[in-house]
Amino acid sequence: MIPTITEVSPVQTQYLKFIERLKASGFSGDTNSDYANRIVLSTDNSIYQVLPQGILYPRSVEDIQILVKLANQKEFQHIVLSPRGGGTGTNGQSLTDGLVVDLSRHMNNILEINVEEGWARVQTGVVKDQLNKALKEKGLFFAPELSTSNRATIGGMINTDASGQGSVMYGKTRDHVLALKTILLDGTIWDSAPVTQEALQTHIQRTDYAGIIHKTVDLAYSENRQAIEDTFPTLNRCLTGYDLAHIRNRDGLFDLNSVLCGSEGTLGFIVEAKVNLLAIPKYATLVNIRYNSFEASLRHATELLEAKPTSIETVDSTVLDLAKNDIIWDSVANFFPQIEGEDVQGINLVEYTDNDEATLNQRVKALTDTLDLIDKSTSNTLGYTTATGHGDVNKIWRMRKKSVGLLGNASGEKRPIPFVEDTAVPPENLADFIMEFRAVLDSYNVQYGMFGHVDAGVLHVRPAIDLKDEAQEPLIREITDKVVALTQKYNGLLWGEHGKGVRSEYSPAFFGDLYPIIQKIKAAFDPYNQLNPGKIATPYELGVALLKIDSVPIRGQFDRQISTSNRDQFKESLYCNGNGACHNFDPNDAMCPSWKGTRDRRHTPKGRASLIREWVRAMSEQGVNTEDASKQVRKSHFITSFLPKLRNTINKKRGGYDFSHEVHESMMGCLACKSCVGQCPIKVDVPEFRSKFLELYYGRYLRPTKDYLIGSLEFVMPKLSLLATPYNWIVEAQWFNHLTSKYMGLTDTPSLSKINLKKEMSRRGIRLATPMSLEALNPRDRKRAVIVVQDAFTSFFETELVLDTMEMLNRLGFQAFLAPYRPNGKPLHVHGFLKAFNRTASKNLDMLQNLSFYGLPFIGIEPSMTLAYRSEYRKAFGDSRSMPNIQLLQEWLGQQQEHLEKQQLSLGKDTYHLLTHCTEKTNAAASINNWVTVFEKLDLSLIVETVGCCGMAGTYGHESQNKATSKEIYNLSWKQKVQDNELKSKLVATGYSCRSQVKRMDSIHIPHPAQALLKHIRIAQAES
């Protein structure tokens, strides 16, 4: 039932031979030819899917020299090499059926920053936001902006000549490139910058690749100067890649970088860049204008340009509505009021930046005064809001950036996809162009979303098409051809921002008679067409055609091979559109911790979704119905299934190949933190499809012992807690930890609380929620009553926290009851014990539903266990069971502000710093501010610290195979905060796993926010 892939094609054999020779030649980087890695890098953010023969991760310039010199040998001149950075391209730029050469894993260092002269020198695997984070404290930034800035590399930006918001003021990437270091195919390291005619002649006299290249490029310009001027339109987003128009810069210097920028890895390996830096504007204001017509927003943008703002961005109602259903909306909702009677169809975001506050305010006032004079009863303009300061302005820009991914989360099988999305026309033509563009799409009866840079005449248009439907696939060609003609009609370009890639098919149409010239340039750099072939240009002498938009495999062709039932069961993975938001470099961002800890793209939501898609496709191809297989696994008996599982496991240990093992390795690296569910624009839910996969995988192979131990944890804790002292003596012993790590795969087993919850409840007068106790409540007490739902981690490992929470609630004047303990089942779900999870969850729901009869609110202390009721429980039972509303502690307290004010407690104006749990801050983001509000109501201050994942995530950090990665993740952001002497004594953390990790890594106890509140309440009430 599990797909196996064992055949090695003749082509693959040649590539494997090349890889072996490469390693024997001294290549020190990583090499991957396994199927899982190839599948993960077979997609980017485009509609295409091309399986590479292998992936190379060079560690140094020397590695790339070894690579190209080997590929340049006659024996290997058929080997194809394609550079790759962040893999965020929308046109398949980095996709190849040869070898992917990924520079982002190792060659990602910032080499030098010169503040005085305003430049930085970086390896091209550096991520844009990584560079700007390092520059921020110096008051500088790398200006070219793009929506994927938290995962796009500088090399990728250079190779596509990327730009986005603010390009009218700041230009494109190439406008900020001062010098490049490129490895040519003969191994030459070439440093390129604008040079004089004298220096150029010296270069031309060389006899190597560099000499041929300079001679060819110089002749291309000198012999075709007039034709070049006649061919290329004057646009902010002028033609990039092999840019003949700028071979000579404004000073008359020869600039090879005009050819290299935007060349998409077809000319050489750009390994280092010296880039220009600008001062960060001190002040920023964003005017957010609403319209009842999208056309009106486009036409008004032309007028707005006259005020010379920094940038103007447009968003249509489709994108705005998607944003409203995303986690991002909480941060920007105040700037987009929903006013009764308004039908907002478009928004213009008009930004002003300046170093002089008075000047900025004057410029903004000039615009708002004009807007205030508009008669809203007769105008398409509905109103506006303003966001002042970089903090608020950046919140809105983050929402706008997320628009790219959000479009992929439209409902239904037809999803907006990128294939005609970054046309550029003169801004004054944009409105008319878009109206005709929309007419083309309307003629095919397709829905679409639009957003973009109206100041530059660039609008991203994504038609909604279901490419799993073979009948819809021809629309790619039909619509693209019409858009090409329309773009030419309005004197524009097909590639305004995201590069050419597979859409290079249209290069001859836009280059015209100059296309043979760029073919000669390609041949000078790459005579055997080995570098990312089929993109932009091919050597004329070889007679090789460019790729065509409908001849490259698309994802939909593979997805349509998946049966409907299998697709439905694993739908949490199948809608991933490759936007790569999970590749976020920022260590202080929650998503995705396993990616940050390993730098392995298999260990990302995108990677795991890709692997599951391929696994489910192979299952469907073999006629396996995964839903039926799951039912069979749940019906099977341990004794009868043991021997077949044992045989399969022995075969696995002997090296028997099964693609499922590669998928399993990726799934086991997941922390199940659910950050992907909250932060991925498409809501890819890795923990959900991971658990389904594990259920099937362990229906064929034996489970490790640790899974049974973890799965039984919630059930045995009540009994073990009665033997806490001897239990702790054993688990704290070094010999025990050694044995469990070696033979059971578990390490650093946590100790039980020395306090027995039942005994302490009786001693402290804490009431258990039972029908009898709840029935006895009088009406006055009922209004202030609340039921705290137990979980195994706090009840048995942090019993003091449960008791403190109950005391805090009672001291604040509430009537707190503790629900009887029942296993929640989440550990079972995480490890794929889905039959046991459903049974456990159902029993837990029986108890909670009996208590819900009394109408009291439920709250939970531990975020991950509490939020399971909203996710795992709802997905498991759907509408078949009524689901009690169990709030996080702070969510409920946040609704009790009036009651808290009546307590008239002043707790001392102390300041605490909150470290939040990943699941909580990504799946219940608004609840974090509830803690801030509660502290403020009690005269305390709470600052939410920005951190990523702690690296524990339930039991992940306690599994021996994960210990090193767990520590690496912790060191990325938590360690710095925990060891900060100014913060150390004032830190609070909401997650049990987080507090456990801090104790394990730094031997420091961090209290829960409720415990910090209780400390001050006790003091205040004692003094009064």
Side-chain angles (χ1 to χ4, degrees):
M1 91 181 209
I2 304 293
T4 57
I5 300 167
T6 57
E7 295 181 4
V8 179
S9 69
V11 172
Q12 178 72 355
T13 299
Q14 288 296 311
Y15 276 90
L16 290 173
K17 178 182 177 182
F18 178 81
I19 291 172
E20 289 306 310
R21 282 279 294 276
L22 182 66
K23 290 190 285 189
S25 301
F27 183 83
S28 65
D30 306 325
T31 62
N32 292 119
S33 56
D34 59 283
Y35 195 61
N37 272 285
R38 294 165 62 204
I39 280 292
V40 169
L41 271 76
S42 68
T43 59
D44 55 4
N45 194 17
S46 70
I47 62 175
Y48 300 103
Q49 179 169 334
V50 182
L51 185 68
Q53 300 298 329
I55 301 93
L56 308 176
Y57 299 96
R59 291 183 182 274
S60 64
V61 168
E62 290 73 24
D63 272 347
I64 298 179
Q65 283 184 290
I66 293 170
L67 171 65
V68 296
K69 285 179 180 178
L70 183 63
N72 205 27
Q73 292 180 12
K74 189 173 182 179
E75 179 184 2
F76 294 117
Q77 287 173 355
H78 63 285
I79 295 294
V80 168
L81 306 173
S82 294
R84 181 170 176 136
T88 60
T90 59
N91 293 317
Q93 287 95 327
S94 64
L95 302 185
T96 180
D97 58 3
L99 291 175
V100 171
V101 185
D102 190 329
L103 277 68
S104 68
R105 176 179 289 183
H106 299 301
M107 300 181 69
N108 54 20
N109 296 305
I110 299 171
L111 302 173
E112 187 177 2
I113 296 174
N114 190 311
V115 176
E116 292 74 20
E117 297 180 15
W119 54 262
R121 189 167 59 87
V122 301
Q123 292 182 309
T124 47
V126 167
V127 170
K128 174 184 156 45
D129 280 1
Q130 174 191 354
L131 175 58
N132 277 342
K133 182 179 180 181
L135 294 170
K136 187 175 181 180
E137 63 181 25
K138 305 177 190 301
L140 299 171
F141 77 121
F142 179 53
E145 188 55 276
L146 57 164
S147 62
T148 56
S149 61
N150 63 7
R151 64 257 197 206
T153 63
I154 301 297
M157 292 179 68
I158 292 169
N159 272 292
T160 56
D161 197 11
S163 61
Q165 171 221 330
S167 67
V168 169
M169 173 170 285
Y170 297 121
K172 305 188 74 174
T173 297
R174 67 169 176 194
D175 296 310
H176 300 272
V177 169
L178 301 176
L180 297 175
K181 184 186 294 292
T182 305
I183 311 299
L184 305 178
L185 262 185
D186 64 349
T188 300
I189 302 175
W190 191 256
D191 293 302
S192 54
V195 296
T196 63
Q197 185 65 29
E198 182 181 5
L200 173 62
Q201 290 304 315
T202 302
H203 296 336
I204 288 174
Q205 291 170 13
R206 295 172 62 108
T207 58
D208 57 4
Y209 270 46
I212 297 170
I213 288 166
H214 281 84
K215 182 178 180 179
T216 304
V217 174
D218 182 47
L219 287 174
Y221 182 79
S222 60
E223 294 179 353
N224 301 278
R225 186 169 183 174
Q226 189 58 51
I228 291 169
E229 291 179 4
D230 294 341
T231 299
F232 298 121
T234 303
L235 291 171
N236 170 263
R237 301 298 179 85
C238 56
L239 188 64
T240 60
Y242 300 65
D243 181 9
L244 304 179
H246 293 86
I247 288 173
R248 295 281 178 169
N249 67 18
R250 292 175 182 176
D251 298 322
L253 300 177
F254 177 89
D255 191 359
L256 189 64
N257 293 338
S258 68
V259 174
L260 290 169
C261 289
S263 61
E264 301 184 3
T266 63
L267 301 179
F269 288 90
I270 301 174
V271 294
E272 286 183 19
K274 181 181 178 182
V275 295
N276 178 53
L277 307 176
L278 300 175
I280 299 172
K282 292 181 180 179
Y283 304 99
T285 295
L286 197 61
V287 182
N288 316 294
I289 311 172
R290 306 185 304 279
Y291 304 87
N292 62 14
S293 157
F294 186 62
E295 180 180 359
S297 67
L298 296 178
R299 296 198 181 280
H300 192 211
T302 305
E303 298 178 33
L304 295 171
L305 273 172
E306 297 175 5
K308 298 190 182 302
T310 303
S311 64
I312 306 175
E313 299 284 298
T314 294
V315 174
D316 76 354
S317 58
T318 301
V319 174
L320 199 66
D321 289 343
L322 287 167
K324 290 176 182 177
N325 295 316
D326 187 80
I327 185 177
I328 198 76
W329 191 251
D330 287 329
S331 63
V332 299
N334 292 339
F335 300 108
F336 303 98
Q338 300 184 52
I339 299 173
E340 188 175 352
E342 279 193 3
D343 181 19
V344 179
Q345 293 296 310
I347 286 178
N348 275 333
L349 308 173
V350 187
E351 184 183 31
Y352 291 90
T353 58
D354 210 297
N355 287 322
D356 182 78
E357 188 173 15
T359 302
L360 177 105
N361 292 338
Q362 186 178 13
R363 294 168 65 197
V364 172
K365 188 175 185 300
L367 173 61
T368 56
D369 284 350
T370 302
L371 295 174
D372 289 336
L373 294 174
I374 294 175
D375 185 352
K376 296 181 179 60
S377 63
T378 59
S379 169
N380 297 114
T381 305
L382 300 174
Y384 69 91
T385 63
T386 58
T388 302
H390 287 294
D392 283 343
V393 168
N394 287 337
K395 289 177 184 177
I396 297 173
W397 285 138
R398 280 193 288 272
M399 183 273 288
R400 158 61 185 83
K401 283 185 176 186
K402 208 170 185 183
S403 301
V404 180
L406 288 172
L407 274 173
N409 199 36
S411 59
E413 296 304 309
K414 292 183 177 181
R415 300 290 176 109
I417 54 176
F419 65 95
V420 286
E421 73 154 5
D422 63 326
T423 53
V425 299
E428 62 271 18
N429 295 342
L430 183 60
D432 291 334
F433 169 74
I434 289 298
M435 291 306 107
E436 288 200 49
F437 199 141
R438 296 181 78 164
V440 168
L441 298 179
D442 291 341
S443 71
Y444 288 97
N445 195 32
V446 298
Q447 301 297 311
Y448 45 86
M450 293 185 174
F451 59 96
H453 325 291
V454 289
D455 51 355
V458 176
L459 212 61
H460 302 301
V461 183
R462 294 196 171 185
I465 296 174
D466 179 11
L467 291 179
K468 297 189 300 298
D469 180 358
E470 193 172 1
Q472 295 183 50
E473 189 176 321
L475 293 179
I476 300 297
R477 164 66 64 185
E478 295 175 27
I479 291 174
T480 302
D481 283 347
K482 290 185 177 181
V483 171
V484 168
L486 189 61
T487 306
Q488 291 177 314
K489 171 184 174 181
Y490 281 96
N491 198 29
L493 291 169
L494 185 62
W495 321 276
E497 183 170 300
H498 293 165
K500 301 176 182 66
V502 174
R503 291 195 296 159
S504 296
E505 173 187 348
Y506 297 96
S507 287
F510 283 86
F511 279 99
D513 293 338
L514 294 172
Y515 181 67
I517 306 301
I518 69 169
Q519 285 184 292
K520 290 181 180 179
I521 292 175
K522 168 69 172 176
F525 278 92
D526 182 18
Y528 306 110
N529 201 33
Q530 292 176 276
L531 294 175
N532 211 8
K535 321 281 176 64
I536 306 183
T538 58
Y540 177 80
E541 295 80 359
L542 298 182
V544 181
L546 289 165
L547 296 172
K548 294 186 180 296
I549 59 171
D550 49 6
S551 64
V552 177
I554 62 173
R555 295 187 195 194
Q557 293 168 352
F558 297 94
D559 289 345
R560 72 179 65 136
Q561 298 171 27
I562 301 173
S563 66
T564 303
S565 60
N566 290 358
R567 189 182 301 142
D568 288 343
Q569 188 178 16
F570 285 90
K571 60 187 176 183
E572 294 87 2
S573 67
L574 297 181
Y575 291 119
C576 173
N577 65 356
N579 69 79
C582 49
H583 294 163
N584 184 348
F585 101 95
D586 187 357
N588 292 322
D589 188 276
M591 191 171 69
C592 163
S594 55
W595 154 247
K596 293 184 175 75
T598 63
R599 299 290 295 180
D600 186 333
R601 296 193 191 277
R602 292 174 303 162
H603 293 297
T604 67
K606 176 182 174 181
R608 292 181 177 112
S610 297
L611 292 174
I612 286 292
R613 281 177 59 245
E614 177 61 13
W615 182 79
V616 176
R617 186 193 68 79
M619 297 284 270
S620 300
E621 195 175 51
Q622 294 185 10
V624 176
N625 183 306
T626 56
E627 189 173 358
D628 289 345
S630 295
K631 292 177 182 177
Q632 183 179 346
V633 169
R634 295 181 190 186
K635 289 180 181 178
S636 65
H637 194 278
F638 177 79
I639 295 176
T640 57
S641 64
F642 178 77
L643 285 178
K645 289 181 184 180
L646 179 62
R647 283 194 296 268
N648 291 332
T649 304
I650 292 172
N651 183 52
K652 173 185 175 181
K653 290 182 177 180
R654 289 175 176 171
Y657 182 75
D658 184 337
F659 176 52
S660 299
H661 301 330
E662 297 183 56
V663 181
H664 178 260
E665 181 184 352
S666 172
M667 297 303 149
M668 294 313 294
C670 172
L671 282 77
C673 67
K674 299 188 77 72
S675 292
C676 50
V677 187
Q679 289 192 310
C680 171
I682 313 300
K683 312 305 177 196
V684 167
D685 189 344
V686 177
E688 185 66 23
F689 67 69
R690 173 186 187 261
S691 64
K692 295 174 183 178
F693 169 81
L694 291 178
E695 179 180 55
L696 286 169
Y697 183 82
Y698 288 123
R700 184 173 172 83
Y701 298 96
L702 292 175
R703 278 186 177 274
T705 305
K706 68 175 178 61
D707 283 19
Y708 294 102
L709 292 174
I710 293 169
S712 64
L713 191 69
E714 290 187 288
F715 301 90
V716 300
M717 283 300 100
K719 300 295 184 184
L720 288 177
S721 67
L722 301 175
L723 304 167
T725 299
Y727 173 87
N728 291 344
W729 180 83
I730 294 173
V731 301
E732 291 169 7
Q734 189 173 354
W735 61 266
F736 180 81
N737 190 61
H738 175 74
L739 289 176
T740 56
S741 180
K742 185 174 181 179
Y743 296 108
M744 296 184 185
L746 294 174
T747 183
D748 303 335
T749 307
S751 301
L752 287 168
S753 176
K754 297 176 182 178
I755 302 172
N756 183 277
L757 182 59
K758 283 187 177 180
K759 291 180 180 177
E760 283 299 307
M761 284 179 63
S762 176
R763 190 177 73 82
R764 301 190 189 192
I766 295 174
R767 291 170 290 182
L768 193 68
T770 64
M772 183 178 297
S773 64
L774 299 180
E775 189 74 46
L777 281 171
N778 60 50
R780 179 176 175 275
D781 288 342
R782 186 176 296 276
K783 290 181 180 180
R784 296 181 290 115
V786 62
I787 300 174
V788 178
V789 178
Q790 293 191 63
D791 66 85
F793 297 104
T794 54
S795 289
F796 300 108
F797 293 110
E798 287 192 321
T799 309
E800 193 67 44
L801 172 58
V802 178
L803 298 170
D804 287 346
T805 300
M806 301 300 288
E807 182 181 348
M808 178 203 70
L809 291 170
N810 288 326
R811 282 180 176 270
L812 286 175
F814 300 109
Q815 296 287 321
F817 291 84
L818 191 63
Y821 172 75
R822 293 288 186 279
N824 172 289
K826 176 153 186 172
L828 291 168
H829 188 278
V830 168
H831 289 274
F833 292 101
L834 296 186
K835 178 181 178 181
F837 167 75
N838 289 341
R839 183 172 60 245
T840 301
S842 182
K843 290 180 179 179
N844 189 28
L845 280 178
D846 288 341
M847 181 271 291
L848 293 171
Q849 286 170 343
N850 286 337
L851 295 179
S852 67
F853 172 79
Y854 299 94
L856 302 183
F858 291 100
I859 58 176
I861 301 172
E862 169 56 27
S864 63
M865 302 291 273
T866 303
L867 292 172
Y869 295 106
R870 303 181 194 176
S871 53
E872 286 87 348
Y873 273 54
R874 289 193 184 280
K875 287 192 175 184
F877 298 106
D879 297 327
S880 65
R881 297 286 304 264
S882 60
M883 207 66 57
N885 178 28
I886 303 178
Q887 300 179 79
L888 294 166
L889 172 58
Q890 70 268 26
E891 288 176 321
W892 182 77
L893 282 173
Q895 299 166 13
Q896 314 304 316
Q897 293 183 43
E898 185 177 344
H899 176 86
L900 294 177
E901 288 174 351
K902 289 180 180 178
Q903 304 309 301
Q904 296 183 338
L905 286 172
S906 179
L907 302 187
K909 299 188 181 297
D910 212 343
T911 299
Y912 285 87
H913 298 262
L914 176 64
L915 303 175
T916 53
H917 189 282
C918 287
T919 308
E920 179 183 35
K921 65 187 170 193
T922 57
N923 290 264
S927 74
I928 306 303
N929 284 330
N930 291 140
W931 274 125
V932 176
T933 301
V934 170
F935 270 62
E936 286 178 349
K937 291 297 177 184
L938 297 173
D939 210 20
L940 291 170
S941 295
L942 184 68
I943 298 171
V944 181
E945 295 293 332
T946 304
V947 288
C949 178
C950 73
M952 177 57 78
T955 59
Y956 172 89
H958 289 301
E959 297 183 35
S960 302
Q961 63 185 13
N962 302 326
K963 186 171 182 178
T965 305
S966 175
K967 183 176 182 179
E968 176 66 24
I969 295 169
Y970 177 80
N971 290 343
L972 288 173
S973 65
W974 274 67
K975 183 176 182 177
Q976 180 183 354
K977 298 292 184 183
V978 171
Q979 294 186 353
D980 187 328
N981 289 327
E982 293 184 7
L983 301 181
K984 191 179 296 185
S985 64
K986 295 298 181 182
L987 289 174
V988 290
T990 51
Y992 162 75
S993 58
C994 306
R995 296 187 296 273
S996 177
Q997 179 79 321
V998 171
K999 183 178 179 181
R1000 178 171 75 148
M1001 294 294 176
D1002 279 317
S1003 301
I1004 293 173
H1005 170 71
I1006 296 182
H1008 187 278
Q1011 292 175 309
L1013 288 175
L1014 177 61
K1015 183 181 83 170
H1016 288 274
I1017 292 170
R1018 284 171 175 168
I1019 295 171
Q1021 291 181 343
E1023 290 176 348
S1024 63

